[in-house]
Amino acid sequence: SAASDVYKRQVLLVGTGLLVRSFAALTAEDPGFVRDHRLVFEAPLGGERYSTAEGVLAFSDAAIERLEALPGVESVALSTLQPLQGDDEIWGYWLESTPSAENNDGNVLFNRVTPEYFDAMGIPLRAGRPIDAQDQADGPEVVVVSERFAEEAFAGENPLGQRIRWGREQDRPMVEVVGVVGEVQHYSLGRSNTPQVYVPFVQRPSRNAKFVLKTSLPPTSLATGVRQAMQEVDPDQPLDGMQAAESLVSASISTPRFRTLLMSGFGLVALLLAVIGLYGVMAYSVSQRSKEIGVRMALGASRGSVLGLVFREGGPLVGVGLGLGLAGSLALSRVLESMLFGVGVRDTAVFLAVPLVLSAVAAAALRVPARRATRVDPVRTLGEE
């Protein structure tokens, strides 16, 4: 029936609207870093050559030096974690005031970075200073923390100058907080993060090397030059995942993008079927009542009254369908709740727009058979009687 068609179409269109609104909010989400003019890639260090901290640091220094010399490269940095990739290194931390017998005060994403990392990645500095060349292997250990870490660990206090340690024992070296930076989306766009910390790569070197280049040229145009430069450092070292940082964001939202496109396609088909269904039902009804309409017109009924007759017959069907569709849409929105970002399950815009669109579609679908009804020849109808 027409009411059933409207009900089904409304439920599907509300689901589509919620996913479209969610995807729009997701794409507008700030990843926490600058995605333009950045090239990223990985160089996992393996083999005996990189079994020591000295070998790792020699590679990182030589690689950064050669990459910085490439035309179009403004800055180069190395880290052990890459935004939006999901690979992580979780460490527990203890505040200076926490007794050694107690559990750790929390867990953090532990990232080791070289100087210029925050500039190369476009991560904003909120307070203090970034990790820089003065932080040497034989110097005091320091850490830069994310805003969320600062809020959770030092609520109401100035985080700069605070000290933490990475082990339970009280005699472990204390690490001073020297800076606070903006929050970076690590696992995927829109997903809540674990608080993050950044320590000097030179103080805690790792074989897990991920490079970022800030460029003045299109990032992928530097791919050949980057490969050649890295071959000069170590001809046996493979490079993985070379791409523009923009691709990190695009890949992170690939699943919700596919889901939204799929539902949008279904929604458009549903809208088309709603038009066809309503038109078919009302056209059949008009054809069945053509003699009645002819008699009415022969007795003086105006074209306006005939139009009203058709709309009065089809209108309640549409109204019932919209009412049932509202209840079904509320139930569906609860199912979709886990897939939504930045939009409520009862989003006013969607729940108002869909019935209005369906009402307009229904009116257009009813108008054609209604106008056809006004063209019934009363003389011919009475002659047939």
Side-chain angles (χ1 to χ4, degrees):
S1 69
S4 176
D5 280 347
V6 172
Y7 159 72
K8 294 174 183 176
R9 309 315 173 211
Q10 182 176 358
V11 172
L12 184 55
L13 286 173
V14 165
T16 300
L18 290 174
L19 288 178
V20 168
R21 291 261 294 166
S22 173
F23 184 70
L26 189 61
T27 54
E29 179 77 354
D30 181 11
F33 61 91
V34 177
R35 65 186 80 181
D36 299 325
H37 294 284
R38 264 73 179 178
L39 181 72
V40 298
F41 65 93
E42 302 179 25
L45 305 179
E48 185 65 27
R49 180 175 179 178
Y50 303 115
S51 61
T52 63
E54 291 74 15
V56 170
L57 292 175
F59 171 84
S60 64
D61 291 342
I64 290 174
E65 181 181 356
R66 282 171 171 76
L67 292 172
E68 286 177 336
L70 293 175
V73 173
E74 297 181 355
S75 61
V76 180
L78 182 154
S79 66
T80 53
L81 298 180
Q82 201 172 76
L84 298 177
Q85 292 295 86
D87 54 332
D88 54 22
E89 182 179 355
I90 304 295
W91 283 41
Y93 70 89
W94 282 257
L95 299 176
E96 186 175 15
S97 59
T98 302
S100 59
E102 295 188 9
N103 293 330
N104 61 303
D105 292 290
N107 296 315
V108 293
L109 278 169
F110 196 83
N111 198 353
R112 311 146 195 257
V113 303
T114 61
E116 303 299 325
Y117 175 75
F118 302 110
D119 174 67
M121 205 70 212
I123 300 172
L125 181 68
R126 303 301 191 196
R129 68 170 180 86
I131 289 168
D132 56 32
Q134 76 183 49
D135 301 312
Q136 294 297 315
D138 55 356
E141 289 195 49
V142 297
V143 62
V144 171
V145 303
S146 68
E147 289 178 297
R148 181 176 172 185
F149 179 93
E151 292 170 0
E152 292 185 2
F154 310 114
E157 301 181 49
N158 182 4
L160 301 180
Q162 300 279 1
R163 301 201 304 167
I164 60 178
R165 62 184 184 276
W166 305 123
R168 181 188 301 274
E169 292 77 13
Q170 290 279 14
D171 59 352
R172 285 290 183 94
M174 301 303 300
V175 181
E176 182 181 355
V177 177
V178 296
V180 180
V181 295
E183 204 69 30
V184 175
Q185 300 280 344
H186 179 74
Y187 293 104
S188 62
L189 205 61
R191 176 181 166 183
S192 180
N193 277 336
T194 301
Q196 302 173 65
V197 300
Y198 304 84
V199 302
F201 185 85
V202 69
Q203 292 182 350
R204 292 183 177 270
S206 168
R207 292 158 64 137
N208 188 20
K210 303 177 188 292
F211 289 85
V212 54
L213 281 64
K214 177 182 178 182
T215 73
S216 59
L217 301 174
T220 53
S221 69
L222 298 175
T224 301
V226 167
R227 293 186 184 280
Q228 291 176 349
M230 297 299 286
Q231 285 287 307
E232 293 173 4
V233 178
D234 182 355
D236 299 322
Q237 176 58 46
L239 305 183
D240 297 329
M242 188 174 296
Q243 59 189 311
E246 176 66 38
S247 298
L248 297 176
V249 179
S250 180
S252 177
I253 59 176
S254 59
T255 298
R257 182 195 297 114
F258 173 77
R259 189 165 52 219
T260 302
L261 290 174
L262 186 64
M263 285 291 288
S264 297
F266 286 146
L268 290 175
V269 172
L271 200 58
L272 178 61
L273 291 177
V275 175
I276 295 173
L278 284 170
Y279 170 79
V281 169
M282 296 314 301
Y284 177 76
S285 176
V286 168
S287 68
Q288 292 294 101
R289 301 179 63 179
S290 59
K291 291 182 179 180
E292 175 194 343
I293 293 171
V295 171
R296 287 175 180 271
M297 295 185 69
L299 294 176
S302 65
R303 290 180 180 271
S305 65
V306 173
L307 284 171
L309 175 67
V310 176
F311 274 91
R312 282 195 301 274
E313 182 176 338
L317 295 176
V318 174
V320 170
L322 290 176
L324 293 173
L326 176 61
S329 299
L330 290 172
L332 175 65
S333 65
R334 291 295 182 186
V335 176
L336 295 177
E337 186 171 9
S338 62
M339 304 179 190
L340 300 180
F341 173 81
V343 58
V345 294
R346 297 183 180 179
D347 185 71
T348 304
V350 172
F351 276 84
L352 286 178
V354 170
L356 288 175
V357 169
L358 282 175
S359 296
V361 167
L366 292 173
R367 184 174 178 80
V368 175
R371 287 178 63 84
R372 183 178 297 169
T374 64
R375 298 193 182 97
V376 173
D377 185 354
V379 175
R380 181 179 175 184
T381 301
L382 290 176
E384 291 176 356
E385 291 293 326

